[in-house]
Amino acid sequence: MIRKKNTGKSYLGLFWRPVVWVWWAVIALYRVVTLIVLVGIAAALWFGLQGPPTVPVKQNVALVLRPYGALVDQPSIEIQPWLDQIGGSRANETSLESLRRALRDAADDPRIRIAVLDLDHMTSTSLPKIEELARSVDYFRRSGKAVYVYGDSFNQYQYLLAAHANRIALNPMGGVTIKGLAIYNDYFKDALRKAGVQVNVFRVGPFKSAVEPFTRNNMSPDARLANKALLSILWKNYQSNVTTARHLPKDAIKQYVDGFADGLSQDGGDAASYALNRSLVDAVERRSVFRDAMVRKVGKNDRTGNFRQISAMDYLRDQGDRDTNKPNRIALIVVEGDIVNGQSRYHSAGGDTISALLNRVRHDKAISAVVLRVDSPGGSVSASEKIRRSVQMLKASGKPVVVSMSTLAASGGYWISMDANRIYAEPTTITGSIGIFGLVPTVNKLLNKLGVYSDGLGTTPLAGGFRIDRPLTRSDRKIIQSEIDFGYRQFIDGVSKGRGLPLKTVKEIAGGRVWSGKQAKNLGLVDAFGGLHAATAEAAKLANLPPGSYSLEPFRPRIGLLRLILRRFTSDSKAGTGYLDALAAEGPSWLFPLHRAALVLSRFNDPRGIYAYCFCRPEAGALNQ
């Protein structure tokens, strides 16, 4: 029997073979593209971590300082500026130390003839930071070189720095906005009561006003008294700083502010003329006129048409690290933001993170001393205590610790500072606030309004206690208050021992009272005035290091490259409360108080609910609105 040959399989093979070829070609193309992308990303990251190419410093150029965003002691993410530039935007932070170092290095550099300040994009800073940077401007001027400033307008802090220049030029459409200082809080007592939320507060000291927004509808008399004294000292310092730098009468700033409404009206609403007529600026002119004046001093860049210049960042890259060959090292550890339990996050200092850094330098034989730079209103007591104990162990190991207080070192910020060998602060630093509180919200009334009730039983009176859906019992309150009292005794005892003050004296200056750096020095809470430079010199002296033989080396948490990249593209890199931060930054100004309250509450993570925190940062002009 003859069978016919089955050709179906061959036909099927002829059909599928091209499909398979195409499929494998797609896979191969996908692999090649993926490889190219990965290699490109790796190369971009490598070049990014190397930093932008070095720009050579030519002869007879102007050093341009153009701070962007907030002026900070330590940028939150090292890779952030480069990634921001890749994305077509500017970094939202500028290192105070980088600007200070650029000015001081350039003062002795014959290639740099003048310095130019462009402050239009500096959006957030403080009196102590500006005063520290102003000293570097003065240092640059003492070398015989001039500093020039041009501004489309100047707010209060921008003008404080500008006042230290040789010449201030203002845009004809601009003005100098000086309002004075203020401390305003929003108070939520009635709102919380209407919502059915009860905030149970436990505190020690009449001046511990950090809890008042949750328990009152206005500022208490004690808080008003302390804040008035604080603001008076800070405002007098601001006026004295400006009038001395500008060679103006002592009451010039007071007259400027008090007469602003009538004077501006008389000048036809021309704010620039009002500032010029009262000698706050030297000229009212367009930017092109200012540029031409700079061209006459340092020459013209034919490629850009602007005056010959180099930015502070490019200048520092050209300078390189000149301290690498110095035999001795001093570690710099920055505590910036709220003190929280656990790891550091954006604009917060984690107790575990800072403690680990302190322990790391304690075991590093190459480190001779430590400078602890503090800019914090405090926070978690347990996290603050963890940092303080690490400071104690550093001292016990024979390595001196010097604290350099920046804007704020209050409550928990002072807790971590009190055991240092020496404490430096600016006269306008806000410190003290030696007191603690407990904050326990309960929402049983809110839940009851929604028809939700809590019921059950426990084996002891404490079982099931401290729940937010149940009211606090008498025993609960007694336990919490006892812990607060104990914590307060630990605080004042620590200040007494750490600062060598009688316990009676500490009790008199504690109670949660906030002090300026000037007051704190008179009270013995601070040893001397000065910024990071002075604190570093003192640390070297305590470690018996010869002058000029040491370098200051920043120590910061070790963060993996992948985490750095993820931080850049997640809310962790820009904010602590996600969309609330975006709304506060981009939305109307009335959102800021809500954002601030939400941000602080989100960082209240002490495991025992006990805090040393201070709502004591003064507002000034548009910078904190």
Side-chain angles (χ1 to χ4, degrees):
M1 182 177 179
I2 301 174
R3 295 182 178 179
K4 293 182 177 181
K5 187 177 180 181
N6 186 0
T7 59
K9 184 176 180 181
S10 61
Y11 290 148
L12 186 62
L14 290 174
F15 172 77
W16 278 110
R17 190 171 293 115
V19 173
V20 172
W21 288 345
V22 171
W23 175 248
W24 281 110
V26 170
I27 293 177
L29 180 62
Y30 170 78
R31 289 175 176 174
V32 170
V33 171
T34 301
L35 180 62
I36 292 173
V37 170
L38 290 175
V39 171
I41 291 174
L45 288 174
W46 187 85
F47 284 112
L49 292 174
Q50 299 303 308
T54 300
V55 178
V57 182
K58 298 179 181 180
Q59 293 292 334
N60 194 37
V61 296
L63 175 71
V64 176
L65 278 74
R66 189 177 289 114
Y68 278 83
L71 202 58
V72 298
D73 290 311
Q74 179 174 271
S76 56
I77 305 175
E78 291 173 331
I79 201 174
Q80 181 80 36
W82 177 77
L83 288 171
D84 279 332
Q85 289 176 10
I86 291 296
S89 61
R90 292 280 185 174
N92 60 354
E93 296 173 333
T94 300
S95 165
L96 168 64
E97 176 60 17
S98 65
L99 299 179
R100 191 196 68 80
R101 182 188 160 197
L103 282 166
R104 290 182 174 269
D105 286 357
D108 303 318
D109 191 334
R111 298 171 298 178
I112 304 297
R113 184 173 180 183
I114 62 173
V116 176
L117 306 182
D118 182 351
L119 309 177
D120 287 342
H121 302 285
M122 185 175 69
T123 58
S124 178
T125 183
S126 65
L127 290 176
K129 285 186 171 67
I130 289 294
E131 289 173 347
E132 188 164 355
L133 184 55
R135 284 199 296 271
S136 294
V137 172
D138 294 340
Y139 180 88
F140 183 90
R141 289 184 59 182
R142 285 197 298 272
S143 70
K145 301 177 181 181
V147 179
Y148 300 91
V149 182
Y150 184 89
D152 288 329
S153 63
F154 295 103
N155 58 38
Q156 193 154 285
Y157 287 144
Q158 291 169 342
Y159 183 75
L160 177 59
L161 182 59
H164 287 259
N166 294 77
R167 184 177 185 271
I168 304 175
L170 177 63
N171 189 301
M173 297 301 293
V176 178
T177 303
I178 299 178
K179 297 181 178 180
L181 302 174
I183 294 178
Y184 280 94
N185 288 312
D186 290 279
Y187 296 84
F188 307 102
K189 178 183 176 181
D190 282 357
L192 293 169
R193 178 179 55 79
K194 291 176 181 179
V197 178
Q198 181 177 358
V199 179
N200 303 276
V201 171
F202 308 85
R203 66 174 184 175
V204 180
F207 296 102
K208 198 61 187 173
S209 58
V211 299
E212 288 186 357
F214 308 104
T215 61
R216 297 179 59 92
N217 292 320
N218 57 8
M219 188 179 292
S220 70
D222 288 329
R224 190 174 298 275
L225 174 67
N227 291 336
K228 183 178 180 180
L230 174 66
L231 291 176
S232 176
I233 291 175
L234 299 183
W235 181 232
K236 286 179 180 178
N237 189 279
Y238 179 94
Q239 295 180 80
S240 176
N241 195 321
V242 170
T243 55
T244 300
R246 291 286 298 170
H247 305 290
L248 298 174
K250 290 183 178 180
D251 64 344
I253 298 301
K254 182 180 186 303
Q255 295 296 331
Y256 182 87
V257 176
D258 292 347
F260 190 78
D262 292 338
L264 189 62
S265 177
Q266 292 172 7
D267 288 344
D270 188 342
S273 291
Y274 181 80
L276 179 64
N277 293 337
R278 283 145 189 86
S279 301
L280 265 68
V281 300
D282 299 293
V284 174
E285 60 192 29
R286 298 195 179 279
R287 190 176 290 270
S288 58
V289 176
F290 176 81
R291 287 173 176 168
D292 289 343
M294 297 301 103
V295 167
R296 289 193 292 271
K297 293 185 178 300
V298 295
K300 185 177 181 179
N301 184 322
D302 295 329
R303 184 176 60 84
T304 64
N306 206 340
F307 60 91
R308 291 161 50 84
Q309 60 184 267
I310 187 168
S311 72
M313 297 303 104
D314 285 340
Y315 177 70
L316 289 178
R317 277 191 288 271
D318 177 79
Q319 290 288 91
D321 189 355
R322 299 186 302 175
D323 293 334
T324 53
N325 296 325
K326 293 184 177 180
N328 301 304
R329 295 161 59 200
I330 297 175
L332 171 65
I333 296 177
V334 177
V335 179
E336 194 164 28
D338 300 338
I339 298 175
V340 300
N341 224 46
Q343 301 298 319
S344 296
R345 294 174 66 84
Y346 181 74
H347 280 187
S348 68
D352 291 348
T353 301
I354 303 301
S355 178
L357 287 176
L358 291 167
N359 292 334
R360 180 174 141 201
V361 300
R362 175 163 57 92
H363 294 293
D364 190 334
K365 296 181 179 179
I367 300 298
S368 303
V370 176
V371 174
L372 190 65
R373 178 74 166 179
V374 181
D375 187 0
S376 172
S380 165
V381 165
S382 62
S384 300
E385 176 63 8
K386 182 173 290 187
I387 296 172
R388 185 183 76 93
R389 289 189 179 278
S390 294
V391 170
Q392 286 181 322
M393 288 190 288
L394 255 174
K395 287 178 59 181
S397 71
K399 296 182 180 182
V401 181
V402 177
V403 165
S404 171
M405 292 181 171
S406 183
T407 306
L408 278 169
S411 289
Y414 194 81
W415 188 302
I416 66 175
S417 305
M418 59 190 180
D419 280 295
N421 294 84
R422 297 276 286 174
I423 298 178
Y424 277 70
E426 300 290 348
T428 53
T429 295
I430 298 174
T431 188
S433 191
I434 300 168
I436 66 173
F437 65 89
L439 198 66
V440 183
T442 52
V443 297
N444 53 292
K445 293 182 180 179
L446 171 61
L447 294 176
N448 293 165
K449 289 181 180 181
L450 300 175
V452 179
Y453 302 89
S454 175
D455 192 18
L457 54 88
T459 57
T460 71
L462 296 182
F466 307 104
R467 292 169 55 102
I468 66 169
D469 58 350
R470 294 173 57 79
L472 292 179
T473 66
R474 182 175 176 275
S475 296
D476 294 339
R477 293 178 178 276
K478 191 173 183 179
I479 290 170
I480 296 174
Q481 187 62 56
S482 296
E483 290 186 334
I484 297 297
D485 293 339
F486 173 77
Y488 182 67
R489 289 196 301 272
Q490 294 291 103
F491 201 165
I492 60 175
D493 285 347
V495 173
S496 176
K497 295 175 183 177
R499 301 300 304 155
L501 296 172
L503 188 60
K504 180 181 178 181
T505 301
V506 176
K507 289 180 179 179
E508 292 173 352
I509 62 179
R513 177 86 181 247
V514 177
W515 306 101
S516 69
K518 184 176 181 180
Q519 292 171 307
K521 184 176 181 295
N522 293 333
L523 295 171
L525 297 175
V526 166
D527 293 301
F529 294 143
L532 182 61
H533 183 73
T536 305
E538 179 66 17
K541 180 180 177 182
L542 293 175
N544 296 317
L545 303 180
S549 69
Y550 56 87
S551 62
L552 185 65
E553 180 176 338
F555 273 68
R556 57 185 304 156
R558 293 180 175 133
I559 302 175
L561 180 59
L562 178 60
R563 188 176 174 190
L564 281 174
I565 298 170
L566 290 176
R567 273 186 164 191
R568 170 61 178 84
F569 299 104
T570 63
S571 62
D572 186 36
S573 69
K574 295 280 186 184
T577 52
Y579 69 92
L580 278 175
D581 279 273
L583 286 174
E586 306 294 340
S589 60
W590 56 264
L591 280 173
F592 180 78
L594 300 177
H595 162 260
R596 181 171 58 180
L599 183 60
V600 171
L601 289 175
S602 72
R603 291 173 177 169
F604 277 5
N605 68 345
D606 187 274
R608 303 177 71 185
I610 303 175
Y611 305 95
Y613 192 88
C614 180
F615 288 99
C616 50
R617 186 187 297 270
E619 297 178 359
L623 285 174
N624 287 337
Q625 294 180 352

